[in-house]
Amino acid sequence: MHILHPVPALPVKNRMHVLRAEQRWTQAELAERLNVSRQTINALETEKYDPSLPLAFRIARLFGKPLEEIFLYDDTSSGETHR
């Protein structure tokens, strides 16, 4: 019998604030384009919330970038950030 153990969440950083600023969009404008609330955009940009996979793909598509250029795995315990 195999026992499943919960896997801790991976620490993820993102470049959403920078990408949004490059487009000169407000949080509200980005939220409207993604069909989410402005509060969701704020939570994503401050890294208090990680997006669902479908939302992450919508964000990547909107900015015309691969996921790896927006969302970065951050292993601060090893001092490394991975794309």
Side-chain angles (χ1 to χ4, degrees), residues 65-81:
K65 304 230 179 258
L67 285 173
E68 298 85 4
E69 286 188 24
I70 301 171
F71 302 98
L72 313 166
Y73 168 64
D74 180 37
D75 185 0
T76 54
S77 63
S78 72
E80 297 180 36
T81 300

Side-chain angles (χ1 to χ4, degrees), residues 40-58:
T40 297
I41 299 301
N42 182 268
L44 289 166
E45 288 186 356
T46 58
E47 298 172 356
K48 294 178 181 170
Y49 169 77
D50 289 329
S52 65
L53 195 52
L55 178 55
F57 277 110
R58 289 197 332 257

Side-chain angles (χ1 to χ4, degrees), residues 3-81:
I3 298 173
L4 298 177
H5 299 282
V7 177
L10 296 174
V12 176
K13 298 216 175 260
N14 71 67
R15 299 183 57 236
M16 286 186 56
H17 177 79
V18 171
L19 295 170
R20 179 177 60 79
E22 287 174 356
Q23 297 296 317
R24 297 185 178 171
W25 293 337
T26 65
Q27 286 185 341
E29 290 169 329
L30 179 56
E32 185 175 321
R33 291 170 191 270
L34 292 170
N35 198 30
V36 299
S37 70
R38 186 203 56 78
Q39 290 83 357
T40 297
I41 299 301
N42 182 268
L44 289 166
E45 288 186 356
T46 58
E47 298 172 356
K48 294 178 181 170
Y49 169 77
D50 289 329
S52 65
L53 195 52
L55 178 55
F57 277 110
R58 289 197 332 257
I59 292 166
R61 189 177 307 124
L62 179 65
F63 286 117
K65 304 230 179 258
L67 285 173
E68 298 85 4
E69 286 188 24
I70 301 171
F71 302 98
L72 313 166
Y73 168 64
D74 180 37
D75 185 0
T76 54
S77 63
S78 72
E80 297 180 36
T81 300

